[in-house]
Amino acid sequence: GRADRDFPAVGCRLCFRERHCHEVRAFQGLATYFPRKVGSILLHPRKEAKSHGLGKLIEGAWEAGERVVVIEDLITSGGSTIETAEQLRAAGLVVEHVIVLIDREQGGAGKLAQAGIEAHSVFKLTAVLDALAAQRLLDPQKHQEVLTFLGK
């Protein structure tokens, strides 16, 4: 489903998880636009506290008991998103939802559900592939190859 339909994000803190520098830069536009659009505050969890600055594991203004929505670019297995949710939950935050730009449809949404997190994808990978193929921007053989890899 789409992230803007029947989604209780307003009034929540938003959490953009850092993985690799290049991915954060590529995702930065959405990471700065979305919190402003829904009137929320951005949180940024870190794998380890920095030795300079405030040295926090979770950057941003928050209080225990607040609801947090995790924002992801891609979900494959869901493992890294679950790790982020566990870190936020250990700090006393409530994590029940994740918004993902593209669900690669490789079991991540199901694993998130088992961890008590509902995934809201903007796009499914198969839909993106189908749209590209329909516009002749993806070779039919490569389209089928990827669908076969996904078990579709």
Side-chain angles (χ1 to χ4, degrees):
R2 292 185 43 112
D4 60 353
R5 182 179 42 187
D6 299 326
F7 184 72
V10 178
C12 295
R13 301 288 189 232
L14 299 175
C15 169
F16 287 82
R17 189 178 59 76
E18 178 178 1
R19 280 189 281 187
H20 305 290
C21 187
H22 71 278
E23 290 180 353
V24 171
R25 289 178 198 212
F27 202 43
Q28 190 112 22
L30 182 59
T32 55
Y33 169 79
F34 196 74
R36 290 182 185 147
K37 184 71 173 170
V38 299
S40 187
I41 294 173
L42 176 67
L43 299 181
H44 181 80
R46 300 186 181 281
K47 288 191 182 253
E48 55 187 51
K50 290 189 172 186
S51 60
H52 62 280
L54 298 176
K56 295 181 176 181
L57 280 173
I58 303 172
E59 298 287 345
W62 57 274
E63 293 180 21
E66 288 184 309
R67 292 174 53 227
V68 175
V69 176
V70 176
I71 309 293
E72 288 279 10
D73 53 354
L74 295 170
I75 287 184
T76 303
S77 70
S80 57
T81 304
I82 292 169
E83 287 176 18
T84 297
E86 288 172 351
Q87 178 186 2
L88 296 167
R89 288 171 172 168
L93 295 162
V94 178
V95 181
E96 298 171 332
H97 299 275
V98 59
I99 298 173
V100 59
L101 185 59
I102 300 174
D103 179 354
R104 291 181 58 175
E105 302 175 85
Q106 293 180 290
K111 287 182 182 173
L112 289 169
Q114 291 173 356
I117 304 166
E118 185 177 353
H120 304 270
S121 61
V122 178
F123 302 106
K124 302 284 188 193
L125 182 56
T126 53
V128 172
L129 295 170
D130 292 346
L132 291 171
Q135 295 295 315
R136 297 186 177 147
L137 298 171
L138 179 62
D139 176 85
Q141 183 179 348
K142 184 58 75 174
H143 181 216
Q144 188 56 51
E145 182 181 321
V146 175
L147 290 176
T148 300
F149 174 78
L150 294 174
K152 305 290 179 185

